[in-house]
Amino acid sequence: MSGSETPPLGAEDAKIVTLARSSRARTGAAEGAAVRDTDGRTYAAATVDLPSLRLTALQAAVAAAVSSGAEGIEAAAVVLDGEPDEASVAAVRDLTASAPVIVANAKGEVVSVLVPA
């Protein structure tokens, strides 16, 4: 995975950043994420940290999309302090190898956009 310059976001990408930020804030979780599928539907999630189940926010958002029948991801966004781990990005790439992953901070400011190398 590699980062790139952060061009201004289009309205649809800004929407998933906002959804990811809201998910994180609402639950007080370490991460919030949202994905947009190839039909334009969005799915948001926060970190799941239970004794018997642990998912990053991106993994949870991808799982929500897949369990709703999504066949591909157009874009993903994650809000966290730092960078997403490999397993989080891999969940997106498992569904669509070319989908960008927008990384933003708690203020919703885009830090990087991860695109396949």
Side-chain angles (χ1 to χ4, degrees):
M1 97 184 107
S2 63
S4 66
E5 291 299 313
T6 56
L9 294 181
E12 292 301 311
D13 288 346
K15 176 182 172 183
I16 62 173
V17 170
T18 299
L19 288 170
R21 186 174 178 224
S22 296
S23 292
R24 181 183 187 214
R26 182 176 57 254
T27 63
E31 302 173 356
V35 298
R36 183 176 62 252
D37 73 11
T38 52
D39 291 329
R41 296 174 297 190
T42 56
Y43 306 87
T47 307
V48 176
D49 191 6
L50 301 172
S52 63
L53 178 65
R54 292 175 189 242
L55 296 172
T56 68
L58 267 176
Q59 289 170 328
V62 169
V66 169
S67 68
S68 295
E71 295 182 8
I73 299 290
E74 281 185 1
V78 61
V79 173
L80 72 165
D81 299 323
E83 290 288 320
D85 63 20
E86 292 288 329
S88 296
V89 177
V92 174
R93 302 279 184 254
D94 284 348
L95 211 50
T96 304
S98 61
V101 177
I102 303 161
V103 181
N105 62 24
K107 294 179 183 177
E109 301 164 335
V110 176
V111 175
S112 63
V113 178
L114 305 178
V115 294

